[in-house]
Amino acid sequence: MTRTGAPRPHPAAPPPPGVTSHSSIGPLRRLRFALSLSGLGLWLAVPALSAMAMTLTGDDDAATRAQAVGGVLASMLLPAVLLAPLGGMLAARADRRLMLIIADVLRLVVVVTVPLVNTLPWTFAAAFLVACLSLVWTPAARAALPAVVPDEDLRAAARRSATRVLFGPAPVAALLFAVLALIAGGTLGRDSRADLALYVTAAAFLASAAAVAMIREIPATWSAPVPAPLKSIFQGPGTAAARGIGIAVAAASLTAGAVVAVARVHTGGLDGGDAGYGSVLAGLTVGLGFGAFLGPRALVPFSRRRLLGLAVVAAALALIVIALVQNLVVVVFMTGFLGMFAGAAWSNGIAALTDPDAPEDTRPSAYLRSVALVTAVVVFAAVPLIAGAAGSHRLELGGGVYDIDGSGIGLLVAAVLALLTSLVAYRRLDDRRGIPLVPDLRAALRGEIYTPPEQAAALPQRPARRERGVFIAFEGGEGAGKTTQARLAAIWLRDHGYDVVTTHEPGATKIGMRLRAMLLDRDTTGLSDRAETLLYAADRADHVANVIKPAMDRGAIVVSDRYVDSSLAYQGFGRQQAVEDIARVNAWATGGLVPDLTVLMEVPPQTGLRRLSAPADRIESESQDFHERVRAGFRALAEADPDRYLIVDAGRPQGELSREIQYRIREILPDPVPAGTEDATSTFPAIRDF
Ligand code: TYD
């Protein structure tokens, strides 16, 4: 399906021979470099302009300084809130390459004039103008990257690399600012410390404009819809879950925004100056990037929503430490942690909401971005005001004195507010309510999913009296080799005179085959999780009624490739639906039929998925995290009922595996021939080992 607004392939550019990864494409590499330079300029402009504004207050009053910095920061975000779609529209109508160059050159001019004009109002105006120009530059840059890549597959990677190019320079810029402030402080004197950083900012814009000008491959036109933040907030997120995630993202943005808002003044109080300010910003941006990367990958068996709630609570707690501990090193490190938690909350929130098939401007992620943006603008304006109004205080505590300045109080107020908001978010998002947090976390650290004892009791148990036949299920993740081992076991059993029926799920019956097509076809989009669960259960009900039960009634051994546990693992743990509910639905669908033995073939998802030869079906093409949860889910099920399961490491040689499985199957086998025959011949049928 073609996505609205997705750039068209560039007809003039055939795929270069031997291209295997997006980074090996020349124009893309050069464009990324050019855009990073421009990104560096933008991120350097933030501390440089705010430091400039602070210097220009010409006043040592902390409140005035805090408000000057807050004013610059708010001016830099306001255009994104008010004018974003306008920038996108303008960018869409003009030549993309020209737009990038013009935006860079104009930003250069604006930035260079700041130290020359040297007044506070012009600094604010410059912050606003740079931000307006960036509104044209950013969508142009985002759309330009994938557009220079001719190959559709590589284009997705190029689109992802756009985010790295836009945000990656942030920590570099923060550190560069710290270094420039140190150099300028020593050479230019106290009043012109920000000048050097501003000139370097301008130089970065110039270099970027020159680099973009030299790249000819950027196609001229494209359309990149940019959502309007206020509109998307007023329209709301559509679902209650998205609203909960929105609250969490607001709390995360509140914590990170508060640090940025008063960092310059706060580090001044800790004798850190501009260099300290740069270090705090570097800590925050590195933390954010690391957290955003780690978020969906950390503690995979743990509920994503619970993790999201916990991450924002942790960010709020980190902010309390930052507000109260007056030591620059501690502040920088805690800001790093805060950034990490906020980044993890952000990426988990986005991952929870993103429907990759939705057009860009209707995605709930646009809603989250708007929430983060608007919260940050409010925080940039409000926290410095609170800091100014509060002023410095000296507290006498148990004989000692404790000084807290206005910025510390501003941070503390923000932290308390963030903590309350994040607790609301946690309560709303928690999808494992009633399950204690500590054992849940401990199990996740071991790579397992915690199943409380009462929940384990609700899972299917083996009936006391066995049916006439024997039922063996093979389970496991993708590419575990179940099908092969199920077949080998069936051959071995037949070899020993048993009546064996081999079967599989989904799709062993006529109706089942139609359900299977619906379930696994990649063209099936938008199938809800519950509907998917019920379709698998429907297939299973038909399978039991028409294949398994009749075979067992005549005393056969049924060997099935997948059964109920697949639904518990994939639809329950994988899709994060209540496992007990799925167990109940399936118990009803199967009339309570539970295998006598389930062989769980264990394989790391990466290895298993690599073994698949056919193109991935709808389930196989789920994310790595999904498959990790499925694996952990299977393990949790097997470990809850060790008598009924055999867990084997599917990475071992096939012969060894078969032998281990045969040993275990032997324990549950009835006699291969009717008991009467045995009496008559008095020979006990031996089962040979291979
Ligand atoms: P299939 O091609 O049979 O896969 P495999 O060779 O791995 O067994 O496809 C079955 C797919 O359906 C597989 O990805 C797992 C998924 N599935 C569920 O999600 N829930 C279920 O209840 C069952 C039986 C399968």
Side-chain angles (χ1 to χ4, degrees):
M1 175 173 137
T2 323
R3 219 192 283 162
T4 343
R8 297 238 123 59
H10 182 38
V19 166
T20 49
S21 91
H22 65 277
S23 59
S24 61
I25 298 171
L28 178 64
R29 217 178 32 231
R30 277 181 285 141
L31 182 60
R32 265 207 323 224
F33 175 67
L35 297 178
S36 309
L37 278 175
S38 184
L40 183 71
L42 177 59
W43 289 109
L44 198 52
V46 178
L49 287 170
S50 45
M52 184 72 189
M54 206 182 88
T55 313
L56 286 172
T57 53
D59 189 326
D60 273 342
D61 175 30
T64 323
R65 293 168 143 234
Q67 282 150 18
V69 174
V72 165
L73 295 172
S75 309
M76 292 199 86
L77 275 195
L78 214 52
V81 176
L82 302 177
L83 308 171
L86 215 63
M89 252 159 57
L90 189 63
R93 275 179 181 57
D95 181 312
R96 183 178 343 206
R97 181 159 148 268
L98 197 64
M99 225 53 212
L100 286 167
I101 298 174
I102 291 180
D104 272 344
V105 170
L106 289 180
R107 290 195 292 191
L108 151 94
V109 171
V110 172
V111 168
V112 163
T113 56
V114 171
L116 301 178
V117 176
N118 209 26
T119 66
L120 196 54
W122 180 242
T123 309
F124 283 134
F128 188 78
L129 288 174
V130 166
C132 288
L133 291 164
S134 304
L135 282 187
V136 179
W137 181 84
T138 308
R142 258 192 196 287
L145 273 172
V148 295
V149 182
D151 188 306
E152 178 67 51
D153 288 344
L154 300 179
R155 213 173 293 147
R159 215 173 282 133
R160 278 196 301 278
S161 87
T163 308
R164 281 199 295 279
V165 167
L166 298 179
F167 295 98
V172 181
L175 281 177
L176 182 61
F177 174 75
V179 173
L180 292 173
L182 282 177
I183 298 173
T187 54
L188 301 177
R190 182 176 187 272
D191 288 340
S192 31
R193 276 183 310 205
D195 296 10
L196 183 60
L198 286 168
Y199 291 132
V200 174
T201 305
F205 287 138
L206 179 65
S208 153
V212 172
M214 284 191 297
I215 304 170
R216 301 244 142 250
E217 290 87 348
I218 308 173
T221 51
W222 85 107
S223 83
V226 178
L230 289 178
K231 189 169 138 215
S232 92
I233 290 185
F234 284 127
Q235 275 176 345
T239 63
R243 201 165 305 122
I245 295 173
I247 296 174
V249 164
S253 175
L254 171 56
T255 58
V259 172
V260 176
V262 295
R264 176 60 190 89
V265 180
H266 198 62
T267 52
L270 304 176
D271 298 329
D274 280 332
Y277 178 35
S279 311
V280 169
L281 291 185
L284 182 69
T285 44
V286 168
L288 279 170
F290 185 59
F293 170 80
L294 208 63
R297 294 171 175 82
L299 290 179
V300 169
F302 197 71
S303 147
R304 296 294 89 188
R305 297 198 168 182
R306 218 171 213 202
L307 188 67
L308 171 54
L310 279 187
V312 277
V313 172
L317 293 176
L319 188 59
I320 292 182
V321 178
I322 295 168
L324 295 179
V325 177
Q326 295 176 355
N327 174 304
L328 188 61
V329 178
V330 174
V331 166
V332 170
F333 271 97
M334 287 314 288
T335 307
F337 280 115
L338 183 155
M340 188 179 83
F341 293 130
W346 170 256
S347 56
N348 270 320
I350 291 280
L353 284 189
T354 303
D355 169 6
D357 290 330
E360 184 104 24
D361 52 349
T362 61
R363 282 190 207 168
S365 58
Y367 164 75
L368 293 187
R369 212 168 290 138
S370 311
V371 168
L373 196 65
V374 173
T375 310
V377 175
V378 174
V379 169
F380 287 168
V383 175
L385 281 179
I386 298 171
S392 299
H393 292 272
R394 168 162 294 195
L395 306 175
E396 312 243 343
L397 293 173
V401 289
Y402 179 80
D403 288 313
I404 184 162
D405 58 7
S407 55
I409 295 176
L411 287 175
L412 200 57
V413 171
V416 171
L417 202 62
L419 190 59
L420 294 176
T421 319
S422 57
L423 288 173
V424 171
Y426 180 80
R427 277 196 60 80
R428 268 187 175 236
L429 289 175
D430 189 8
D431 53 358
R432 282 172 65 81
R433 220 166 273 179
I435 294 177
L437 183 59
V438 175
D440 199 19
L441 260 177
R442 217 180 290 140
L445 284 171
R446 289 195 306 267
E448 293 161 9
I449 295 176
Y450 175 68
T451 318
E454 62 283 5
Q455 189 174 316
L459 296 176
Q461 301 294 324
R462 182 162 33 159
R465 198 183 58 78
R466 190 194 283 163
E467 322 280 332
R468 273 184 53 214
V470 174
F471 182 19
I472 304 168
F474 279 74
E475 297 278 12
E478 311 298 335
K482 299 177 288 11
T483 315
T484 311
Q485 285 301 336
R487 218 189 55 236
L488 289 174
I491 293 172
W492 174 74
L493 285 165
R494 279 194 194 111
D495 239 17
H496 291 88
Y498 290 98
D499 174 8
V500 183
V501 173
T502 50
T503 180
H504 64 276
E505 290 191 0
T509 63
K510 259 191 175 160
I511 291 287
M513 273 150 77
R514 290 163 73 173
L515 292 170
R516 179 186 170 92
M518 270 189 256
L519 281 162
L520 298 183
D521 190 344
R522 289 189 68 166
D523 287 341
T524 304
T525 50
L527 180 63
S528 76
D529 293 349
R530 286 182 188 222
E532 181 183 281
T533 307
L534 291 171
L535 288 178
Y536 275 115
D539 167 69
R540 188 161 296 127
D542 205 42
H543 188 204
V544 170
N546 293 317
V547 179
I548 304 179
K549 273 292 253 179
M552 289 189 66
D553 286 346
R554 68 164 199 262
I557 298 180
V558 178
V559 177
S560 180
D561 182 355
R562 298 196 182 278
Y563 189 59
V564 174
D565 287 353
S566 279
S567 279
L568 301 179
Y570 282 84
Q571 280 66 51
F573 293 98
R575 299 254 187 252
Q576 302 195 317
Q577 303 188 90
V579 175
E580 319 85 273
D581 290 348
I582 296 175
R584 253 193 301 274
V585 167
N586 276 280
W588 183 77
T590 59
L593 176 66
V594 177
D596 298 288
L597 169 68
T598 300
V599 179
L600 173 60
M601 311 264 310
E602 261 265 301
V603 69
Q606 265 169 330
T607 319
L609 288 167
R610 231 181 292 126
R611 285 185 188 169
L612 301 178
S613 49
D617 63 33
R618 203 175 62 87
I619 304 272
E620 283 158 4
S621 44
E622 281 293 334
S623 68
Q624 173 81 13
D625 298 347
F626 174 88
H627 291 291
E628 289 284 359
R629 282 197 298 275
V630 169
R631 182 195 189 187
F634 272 129
R635 269 210 89 93
L637 293 169
E639 280 163 7
D641 189 1
D643 284 351
R644 193 167 67 78
Y645 284 85
L646 168 68
I647 306 181
V648 293
D649 171 2
R652 289 166 42 213
Q654 229 174 57
E656 251 178 60
L657 284 179
S658 312
R659 212 166 353 256
E660 187 180 347
I661 294 168
Q662 288 158 16
Y663 271 118
R664 184 69 171 80
I665 292 181
R666 221 169 5 177
E667 291 172 12
I668 58 161
L669 287 181
D671 299 346
V673 280
T677 324
E678 190 188 315
D679 287 344
T681 60
S682 31
T683 51
F684 193 84
I687 291 176
R688 281 177 288 119
D689 281 337
F690 284 101

